[in-house]
Amino acid sequence: MIKKRLVGLLKESKKYIVQNVFWQWLGLLAQIAAIFAVGYLLDTVMFGDITSSQVLRTGIICVVSIILRMISDKKASQASFMASADVKRILREKIYEKLVRLGASYKEKISTSEVVQLSVEGVEQLETYFGRYLPQFFYSLLAPITLFAVLSFVSWKASLVLLICVPLIPISIVAVQKFAKRLLKKYWGSYTELGDSFLENLQGLTTLKIYQSDEKKAQEMDEEAEKFRRITMKVLTMQLNSISVMDLVAYGGAAIGMIVVVKEYISGNLGFAGAFTILLLAAEFFIPLRLLGSFFHIAMNGMAASDKIFRLLDMEEREQGTQELIGEELDITFENVSFSYEAERPILKDVNFHIPKGQFISLVGESGCGKSTIASLILGRNRQYQGKISIGGVDLKELKEKSLMEHVTMVRHNSYLFKGTVEENLLMGNSSATQEEMIEVLKKVNLWEFLKGQEGLGTKLAEKGSNFSGGQCQRLCIARALLHNTEIYIFDEAASNIDAESEEIIMDVVRKLAQTKTVLLISHRLANVKKSHCIYVLKEGKIVETGRHNELMEQAGVYKEMYTIQKNLENYGLEQEVSA
């Protein structure tokens, strides 16, 4: 059971497999030599006169054989380890490189949890396939032939019987292969589904607790876990049953060979030394294949994992752009752009707008109207759109992703902060930034005074910045974005879900940035967009109004209605605070 594509993909591991087989074979030759020496010594003891030189010679052969066997076993283990390490490194590199080529839009094709499972558990299964199964496969073919070639000079009849019985084990393996493949495919399907649910529930645990839905999700997880348990038990039952069959064949074959040897010895066709040697080596015809059988189910699991890995590696990649953004005259144009996540539910419908270089532009509209989708399209995270998007006169689909990332920065309301220090997170924006530059941007977002009271740039951050307040996290994300220093900035609800003080600080930074950069602001709070050079109003995936704040208020359309409602709600909230 060899998958040619898999072996071809990991051809660098072939040398370790060859080394493993060679050392096992050398160990077998050492064992044969030792048994022959002991057999002839015993024959001499029983039927002749033994001399000290014979004993010494036999002792030397045995000692040398034992040492050689120890060295062979150690070298075979080292080769197995090297093959395993090579496989893990190469496969994970291939998966990583594929994700890089798929780009930020990889989530359109595969879930993050499945990528993690394939990179960890899937690769571990293939580690066993290359480190143990493949070397054992080739050795199990070589060992019986070697034994037959040697023992046929002792008794060709007994050797032939043993050799004929050997193929019964692979026949039994092939018999269960089709059933095992189907079962292991179900096993991996159930495993990835359980992983998806676990990751989703873990990430949303706080929300589940708030709405007291954790018990319901726990029950659903229990059901999925029970389904996985049942399929796992079926896999284990299949493995145990097939191992029992292989044991029966292996020991039965060895017993048949031994019976032939005893008959040959009784009839006088075989001497004591020859009978002794064949009896001790009879099991060696079957042990390699028996071990192969024990690795077989792990190999089948590896094959099922490799199918999923190859499905990832075979995913269609978008054509890599060849164009690069040059200069600072970078405007953004949408021409008849339509997009939908699902065919029956369009998000954007023939959207047309233009963001001139150096302008402060805002997108507003009700939730679900397509504002954030536009931001994702500009950043190349969603590629399955119709129409044309161009930046600096270059079609977005023809742009190199690296060039796009070097010229466009986006800050969302949930931008990620990594576990580490403030300095480490800031350096992601600009790896060559000096401490003075980092302190300067922290001052701009009014965060440096707080950090000075901690450990400065060395202040520790927990995962997702959970030891900072929401406003502090968002200001730190803005500081990192400022260090990136690109021509275009997109702020997608960057000032939402935070305290009023942080919101005002962030909006002040955005307005100052708009004096020198092209800024696209997406905001649900219309008071933040009043100073924009142009405001685009979206409704049901279409741009229905365009203009400055005053112009839109005069139109008395969707924008004015939204602004008036928000203003009244804010005034009502202030009145309630005063009366309280």
Side-chain angles (χ1 to χ4, degrees):
M1 187 182 63
I2 300 176
K3 203 163 194 174
K4 292 182 180 179
R5 182 182 176 187
L6 192 58
V7 175
L9 181 68
L10 302 164
K11 55 187 177 183
E12 293 179 27
S13 300
K14 288 180 183 177
K15 60 183 179 182
Y16 299 119
I17 295 172
V18 172
Q19 290 173 16
N20 192 326
V21 174
F22 170 76
W23 288 112
Q24 288 191 74
W25 181 70
L26 194 61
L28 175 63
L29 294 179
Q31 183 179 354
I32 293 172
I35 291 174
F36 262 110
V38 172
Y40 281 108
L41 179 66
L42 292 176
D43 186 70
T44 305
V45 169
M46 295 178 66
F47 304 106
D49 297 325
I50 189 168
T51 62
S52 58
S53 62
Q54 287 178 311
V55 174
L56 180 61
R57 184 171 64 248
T58 303
I60 292 172
I61 292 173
C62 288
V63 170
V64 171
S65 297
I66 290 170
I67 293 172
L68 190 58
R69 185 65 186 255
M70 289 173 60
I71 293 171
S72 298
D73 288 346
K74 184 177 181 180
K75 290 291 186 180
S77 297
Q78 287 177 346
S80 176
F81 170 78
M82 293 302 295
S84 301
D86 219 34
V87 165
K88 288 194 284 189
R89 177 183 60 81
I90 292 171
L91 277 177
R92 284 170 179 155
E93 282 179 359
K94 294 286 184 185
I95 292 172
Y96 175 76
E97 288 167 1
K98 180 67 178 184
L99 291 175
V100 169
R101 290 196 301 273
L102 287 173
S105 60
Y106 82 91
K107 289 185 179 180
E108 293 178 352
K109 301 177 181 292
I110 188 170
S111 66
T112 301
S113 62
E114 187 171 354
V115 171
V116 172
Q117 287 171 324
L118 292 178
S119 302
V120 181
E121 183 69 17
V123 171
E124 292 292 336
Q125 293 290 344
L126 285 170
E127 171 198 1
T128 304
Y129 176 79
F130 275 87
R132 305 295 295 275
Y133 177 80
L134 279 184
Q136 191 64 33
F137 176 84
F138 292 111
Y139 174 67
S140 64
L141 296 177
L142 183 60
I145 295 172
T146 301
L147 288 166
F148 175 76
V150 174
L151 298 180
S152 60
F153 291 102
V154 179
S155 172
W156 68 267
K157 189 182 293 185
S159 301
L160 185 62
V161 169
L162 287 167
L163 186 65
I164 290 172
C165 291
V166 166
L168 294 175
I169 292 180
I171 289 172
S172 66
I173 291 175
V174 171
V176 300
Q177 180 175 345
K178 190 172 182 181
F179 172 72
K181 187 175 182 179
R182 193 164 55 244
L183 188 60
L184 287 168
K185 187 176 180 180
K186 291 181 180 178
Y187 170 85
W188 266 97
S190 177
Y191 177 69
T192 53
E193 287 175 9
L194 183 61
D196 285 341
S197 298
F198 178 76
L199 181 62
E200 182 182 34
N201 292 338
L202 189 63
Q203 291 175 332
L205 186 58
T206 302
T207 303
L208 292 174
K209 285 288 186 182
I210 290 172
Y211 293 103
Q212 298 180 349
S213 297
D214 51 317
E215 185 176 352
K216 179 184 176 183
K217 285 294 182 181
Q219 290 174 352
E220 292 176 1
M221 279 285 293
D222 286 344
E223 291 172 5
E224 290 188 43
E226 176 61 22
K227 178 184 175 183
F228 180 63
R229 185 194 68 82
R230 287 197 300 268
I231 195 73
T232 302
M233 293 307 297
K234 286 182 180 179
V235 170
L236 293 175
T237 301
M238 175 199 66
Q239 290 176 345
L240 289 172
N241 289 339
S242 58
I243 287 172
S244 299
V245 172
M246 284 185 283
D247 283 342
L248 182 64
V249 172
Y251 297 128
I256 293 171
M258 291 176 182
I259 292 170
V260 173
V261 170
V262 172
K263 283 186 175 182
E264 288 288 292
Y265 177 71
I266 293 173
S267 63
N269 297 327
L270 187 61
F272 177 82
F276 176 83
T277 301
I278 295 178
L279 285 174
L280 287 188
L281 290 174
E284 293 299 324
F285 275 85
F286 302 96
I287 287 174
L289 277 167
R290 169 63 187 79
L291 286 174
L292 179 70
S294 66
F295 296 143
F296 166 74
H297 299 290
I298 299 175
M300 285 296 296
N301 214 351
M303 291 296 94
S306 73
D307 289 339
K308 287 187 172 288
I309 290 173
F310 282 129
R311 185 173 66 83
L312 168 60
L313 297 180
D314 290 339
M315 283 181 179
E316 185 179 354
E317 300 173 19
R318 63 179 178 84
E319 292 185 14
Q320 296 296 318
T322 57
Q323 301 291 319
E324 293 189 0
L325 294 173
I326 300 173
E328 298 181 357
E329 299 298 321
L330 302 180
D331 58 347
I332 302 173
T333 304
F334 272 53
E335 298 178 36
N336 301 316
V337 175
S338 298
F339 176 81
S340 63
Y341 294 102
E342 300 168 4
E344 64 277 4
R345 191 170 66 88
I347 303 298
L348 299 177
K349 307 169 188 174
D350 294 321
V351 172
N352 292 275
F353 68 86
H354 180 237
I355 302 177
K357 182 261 178 185
Q359 295 283 294
F360 180 18
I361 307 299
S362 294
L363 279 175
V364 300
E366 297 177 350
S367 296
C369 66
K371 302 187 299 296
S372 295
T373 299
I374 287 176
S376 295
L377 290 177
I378 295 173
L379 216 59
R381 293 184 177 176
N382 299 312
R383 294 281 180 172
Q384 307 303 318
Y385 63 85
Q386 293 80 46
K388 182 180 180 181
I389 303 174
S390 58
I391 300 178
V394 181
D395 193 321
L396 182 63
K397 292 181 179 179
E398 296 177 3
L399 268 176
K400 289 182 179 179
E401 187 172 60
K402 184 174 184 294
S403 180
L404 180 64
M405 297 303 170
E406 288 173 347
H407 292 80
V408 182
T409 300
M410 180 160 74
V411 181
R412 308 181 75 107
H413 67 281
N414 59 349
S415 291
Y416 203 91
L417 290 173
F418 292 84
K419 183 179 180 180
T421 64
V422 169
E423 182 175 4
E424 289 168 349
N425 275 270
L426 288 175
L427 287 173
M428 292 177 188
N430 182 358
S431 58
S432 60
T434 63
Q435 289 201 345
E436 289 74 18
E437 289 172 331
M438 287 187 273
I439 292 171
E440 181 62 28
V441 294
L442 290 170
K443 286 179 178 178
K444 285 182 179 180
V445 296
N446 199 26
L447 199 57
W448 178 240
E449 290 301 318
F450 164 74
L451 292 174
K452 271 204 308 184
Q454 305 292 316
E455 298 177 50
L457 293 173
T459 302
K460 297 289 188 299
L461 273 173
E463 185 180 359
K464 296 184 180 180
S466 57
N467 56 329
F468 278 31
S469 71
Q472 289 169 338
C473 285
Q474 200 63 6
R475 281 184 273 163
L476 183 55
C477 290
I478 299 285
R480 181 172 61 189
L482 293 177
L483 278 176
H484 200 207
N485 193 28
T486 57
E487 288 78 11
I488 299 172
Y489 281 86
I490 301 172
F491 295 95
D492 185 3
E493 301 288 6
S496 65
N497 302 323
I498 55 176
D499 58 278
E501 180 188 357
S502 293
E503 180 181 4
E504 186 52 41
I505 291 170
I506 288 172
M507 287 311 305
D508 185 53
V509 171
V510 170
R511 284 189 283 267
K512 288 179 180 177
L513 188 65
Q515 295 173 9
T516 57
K517 304 288 185 179
T518 302
V519 173
L520 174 61
L521 175 66
I522 297 171
S523 178
H524 70 281
R525 191 159 184 264
L526 301 185
N528 292 333
V529 307
K530 290 173 65 176
K531 295 184 180 181
S532 302
H533 293 117
C534 183
I535 302 169
Y536 291 100
V537 184
L538 280 99
K539 184 176 183 180
E540 297 178 355
K542 294 181 178 181
I543 291 180
V544 293
E545 293 176 9
T546 306
R548 289 176 175 267
H549 171 75
N550 292 335
E551 294 170 349
L552 292 173
M553 292 297 289
E554 290 174 3
Q555 291 180 24
V558 175
Y559 180 84
K560 182 177 181 180
E561 181 183 353
M562 291 170 58
Y563 184 84
T564 303
I565 292 172
Q566 282 191 17
K567 193 71 174 175
N568 290 339
L569 286 172
E570 288 173 5
N571 291 336
Y572 177 76
L574 290 172
E575 290 173 3
Q576 292 298 311
E577 287 181 11
V578 171
S579 62

